[in-house]
Amino acid sequence: RTGGCAVSKVQRRRGRRRKLVRDVPHAHDPDSLGSWLLRFLEYLRARNYSEATVTNRERYGRHFAAWCDERSVVYPQEVTRPLLEAYQ
């Protein structure tokens, strides 16, 4: 309770925005997940996907690339089924 008014956890969470990852990890390395993500986004734009679609895929791709980077996974070849299951 704050100031005599009960605020649920859900209501407090609604006002928060999910932290966006600003930099794509290892984007300078052409074989890294980050570089593949940037090329994928270019592909989507070239195929005239809506900007909302591109933005969403970028958001989730950056999040996944950052999550992988925290686990020292830099290259697509290092992504395994157990890693993807841990990400879920």
Side-chain angles (χ1 to χ4, degrees):
R1 291 185 160 251
T2 55
C5 177
V7 178
S8 73
K9 289 180 185 179
V10 173
Q11 288 172 327
R12 283 191 303 244
R13 271 189 246 138
R14 283 184 189 153
R16 295 182 193 160
R17 291 201 147 211
R18 193 177 214 179
K19 181 184 172 190
L20 295 178
V21 180
R22 299 271 181 232
D23 298 320
V24 177
H26 305 281
H28 60 277
D29 183 346
D31 295 325
S32 70
L33 281 170
S35 185
W36 277 89
L37 171 62
L38 295 177
R39 287 194 302 271
F40 175 63
L41 297 171
E42 287 176 25
Y43 167 82
L44 294 177
R45 286 186 178 102
R47 299 290 244 164
N48 293 318
Y49 278 74
S50 76
E51 198 54 40
T53 297
V54 175
T55 299
N56 282 329
R57 294 199 182 167
E58 179 178 10
R59 178 182 300 125
Y60 294 116
R62 284 177 185 263
H63 188 267
F64 178 69
W67 184 88
C68 286
D69 189 48
E70 291 170 2
R71 287 151 185 80
S72 301
V73 174
V74 177
Y75 300 103
Q77 304 87 311
E78 298 172 327
V79 176
T80 62
R81 178 174 285 213
L83 184 78
L84 290 173
E85 289 171 351
Y87 180 72
Q88 286 182 347

